[in-house]
Amino acid sequence: MTADVLMFLFDLVLLATLLGLAVAALTSPDVRRAVMFFIAFGLWLALVWARLRAPDVALAEAAIGAGLGGAL
C-alpha cells in the first residue's frame, strides 16, 4: 500500500469515529455519558484539525471544546 492510500484510510477512520461520537453524544439518554462523548468529540475534532494542518484551530478546539466545554 502506498502512503496516500494509508492516509485516505486514516481519514476515513477519523470521519467515521467523529460521526459516531457526534451521534452518541446527541442520542445518549444519560447526561453524564453525553458529556463524556462530547469531550471525546472535542478531542477527536482537535485531531481532525491537526490532520488538516491547522494547529492553531486544533489547539483552540482542544482547549475550548474539550477542556472548557466539558468543565461547564
Side-chain angles (χ1 to χ4, degrees):
M1 285 190 181
T2 65
D4 291 335
V5 173
L6 289 176
M7 290 310 290
F8 180 71
L9 290 175
F10 180 69
D11 290 342
L12 285 178
V13 169
L14 277 176
L15 177 66
T17 309
L18 191 68
L19 290 174
L21 284 170
V23 169
L26 291 174
T27 60
S28 178
D30 184 26
V31 175
R32 290 183 186 183
R33 184 173 294 186
V35 168
M36 286 188 281
F37 281 133
F38 183 71
I39 292 170
F41 176 80
L43 290 174
W44 206 255
L45 190 58
L47 182 61
V48 171
W49 282 118
R51 172 71 180 102
L52 290 172
R53 296 183 182 170
D56 51 341
V57 180
L59 287 173
E61 177 64 38
I64 297 170
L68 188 62
L72 290 177

